[in-house]
DNA sequence: CTTAATGGTAAGTATTAACTTACCGTAAGT
DNA sequence: ACTTACGGTAAGTTAATACTTACCATTAAG
């Protein structure tokens, strides 16, 4: 499974998107992330694991706190996938419609 | 739910990603999309519905065939979300670290 | 007109995955 | 040393969603 596949998978869940967006403004410890969310703290830990494996976030340990923050790698992997996907698709469609034009002229 | 939320949700499923990528090269009818996939044709129809609602694909009817093709709107919505998200996050972090610097100097 | 092909929707089942409680280890504070 | 705060993992349950079969409507072909 590629990085972008992991990332799409991770952001497919609304709770994980909420966690992801909580980290938008600043890095946060697990308790702070869980605060306000309608699920238990272990559930948050499990979501963090998925987001980390997708390289959408990373963590640094400070004392007994695990501070999570956004990770450029996973975000960029998705964006690049979408960019390339769309560019290639456009090129394919252009080639297809030109081939169709040629068929008509014969 | 915004367009990009719908789109992230839709591409969270591996089967839907497979369908999405099948349309990369050219528009296809439902039977052609289902061909080769290890699931029933109605299941494919249900996935197509989700992808369509996310504006990742669109359809044009030709006789009794429904031809599905990629839709720029949903793809762009995701890409723009990611772009903006990352740019803003960078700006936030920069502001944060500058504030931390100022605190030190006091 | 009849038959075959295409494909959407409904209802129910099965599988996935999100979630809970319980538990443990580590670090910080008293 | 004891206690509190932090947070990861395991095992089991619950809830979400992917899937199947059955059915129907529409269009094309015979």
């Amino acid at each position: 499974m590629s990085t972008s596949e992991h990332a799409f998978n991770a952001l497919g869940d609304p709770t994980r998107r909420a966690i992801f967006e909580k980290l938008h403004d600043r890095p946060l410890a697990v308790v702070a992330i869980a605060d306000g969310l309608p699920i238990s703290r272990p559930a948050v830990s499990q979501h963090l694991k998925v987001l980390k494996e997708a390289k959408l976030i990373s963590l640094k340990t400070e004392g007994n706190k695990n501070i999570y923050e956004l990770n450029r790698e996973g975000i960029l992997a998705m964006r690049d996938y979408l960019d390339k996907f769309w560019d290639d698709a456009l090129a394919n469609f252009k080639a297809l419609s030109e081939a169709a034009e040629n068929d008509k002229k014969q």
Side-chain angles (χ1 to χ4, degrees), chain A:
Chain A
M1 210 178 180
S2 69
T3 301
S4 71
E5 275 179 305
H6 270 114
F8 280 116
N9 194 62
L11 289 189
D13 178 75
T15 303
R16 280 196 291 269
R17 280 200 299 277
I19 291 174
F20 184 64
E21 298 201 342
K22 269 208 168 189
L23 296 175
H24 181 254
D25 292 342
R26 71 191 71 76
L28 290 172
V30 178
V31 171
I33 295 169
D35 184 53
L37 292 178
I39 56 172
S40 69
R41 203 259 319 141
V44 171
S45 271
Q46 288 161 18
H47 283 307
L48 289 170
K49 187 180 185 181
V50 175
L51 288 165
K52 184 160 74 71
E53 281 168 357
K55 290 176 180 157
L56 287 165
I57 61 175
S58 59
L59 74 86
K60 48 182 174 181
T61 299
E62 284 182 9
N64 65 346
K65 293 190 177 180
N66 282 2
I67 312 290
Y68 283 90
E69 64 182 0
L70 297 179
N71 182 1
R72 176 181 162 87
E73 186 177 347
I75 300 173
L76 224 73
M78 294 183 92
R79 212 208 47 186
D80 289 352
Y81 169 89
L82 291 170
D83 270 350
K84 188 170 182 346
F85 186 85
W86 179 250
D87 285 352
D88 290 356
L90 270 191
N92 282 335
F93 292 162
K94 190 154 170 284
L96 267 184
S97 63
E98 278 168 6
E101 275 304 306
N102 282 340
D103 284 355
K104 277 190 192 167
K105 284 174 188 161
Q106 311 251 341

